[in-house]
Amino acid sequence: MTLTVLDHPLAHDLLSRLRERGTDPAEFRSLTRRLGWLLVIEATRDLLAERISIETPMEETKAERIAEPLVAIPVLRAGLGLLDAVTDLYPDTIVGYLGLERDERTLEPRDYYAKLPRMDGRRALVLDPMLATGGSGSAAIAHVKAHAKPTSISFVCIVAAPEGVARLEADHPEVPIVAGALDRELNGVGFILPGLGDFGDRLHGTV
Ligand code: PRP
Ligand code: URA
């Protein structure tokens, strides 16, 4: 398993603003989308490309075109915040949805919705901003594997906890993780420290 943590001044800046308690939902959405661009670019660094010939106004030349389209799978609700970043950069992305909700007491994910398309020939990006215990991320990847055959699966998150990284490494060792930050630990009720609180609530303006 590979864990890549973004190391770019813009990523650090955006993440610091997301973490701040006072950031309102409108700003939170905008920051998420911009940080999402950086995450998606990193997660697609090794997409398959094909060599083609094109005509510039000057002469014929060789060029590259992407030969591995994407399927984005946001995990509801919080993963919706990262979806626009994928479709902004890769407009021919197709989209599947997984609804998972963590039980506040047991911290186990409960799945309440799944609508996944065929994924043949596409790279699957599972989008979930918070990788805490890893229960939701692991369940989301398992759903994708059970349903479809993408060329590969990558997991994209904004904040990862060591516990969640270890869980994905154990359950899905072949799935690379791209994260905005690797934080210190989980607290006693499964929240990431220092973290940024409840991502879904902050994104959607709910409490
Ligand atoms: C959050 C988050 C992840 C999950 C992470 O979702 O978006 O899906 O918790 O925790 P885990 O790694 O311990 O499973 P939540 O269940 O709060 O639902 P929401 O997105 O609808 O708010
Ligand atoms: N889900 C969140 O939204 N935040 C956390 O810190 C952990 C799980």
Side-chain angles (χ1 to χ4, degrees):
M1 194 274 297
T2 56
L3 167 67
T4 304
V5 178
L6 292 185
D7 185 15
H8 190 287
L10 179 58
H12 299 156
D13 182 286
L14 295 168
L15 188 54
S16 78
R17 295 170 196 275
L18 274 175
R19 288 191 193 276
E20 276 203 85
R21 177 193 293 272
T23 300
D24 69 20
E27 177 71 358
F28 196 89
R29 284 183 202 117
S30 161
L31 293 164
T32 298
R33 185 177 187 142
R34 291 167 62 203
L35 185 54
W37 292 336
L38 303 181
L39 290 164
V40 172
I41 286 171
E42 183 58 40
T44 54
R45 175 183 286 288
D46 59 345
L47 275 186
L48 287 180
E50 61 186 3
R51 296 277 285 169
I52 57 165
S53 292
I54 58 165
E55 291 273 348
T56 77
M58 311 305 291
E59 62 177 27
E60 188 177 321
T61 188
K62 297 282 182 213
E64 285 197 5
R65 291 277 161 83
I66 289 168
E68 188 184 10
L70 301 177
V71 49
I73 301 126
V75 177
L76 306 177
R77 296 172 302 166
L80 286 175
L82 290 170
L83 179 58
D84 285 345
V86 185
T87 55
D88 287 344
L89 295 172
Y90 297 97
D92 59 355
T93 297
I94 63 170
V95 183
Y97 293 90
L98 285 174
L100 294 173
E101 187 174 39
R102 206 168 67 147
D103 182 293
E104 282 179 14
R105 198 176 48 81
T106 65
L107 301 184
E108 289 299 317
R110 176 185 72 85
D111 45 357
Y112 59 88
Y113 186 74
K115 186 89 177 173
L116 295 177
R118 289 180 66 93
M119 301 183 190
D120 310 56
R122 292 177 181 267
R123 175 174 302 190
L125 297 186
V126 175
L127 311 174
D128 193 339
M130 304 305 273
L131 180 62
T133 66
S136 304
S138 180
I141 295 166
H143 263 291
V144 171
K145 286 182 178 175
H147 176 88
K149 294 240 173 320
T151 54
S152 64
I153 304 173
S154 296
F155 188 83
V156 177
C157 61
I158 288 183
V159 181
E163 294 88 336
V165 173
R167 172 74 185 267
L168 288 202
E169 186 165 23
D171 293 355
H172 307 288
E174 78 289 6
V175 173
I177 302 171
V178 177
L182 177 61
D183 274 11
R184 195 176 69 244
E185 61 183 348
L186 297 181
N187 70 8
V189 288
F191 273 76
I192 300 174
L193 299 176
L196 49 73
D198 187 311
F199 198 100
D201 280 345
R202 296 193 63 190
L203 182 78
H204 295 291
T206 53
V207 273

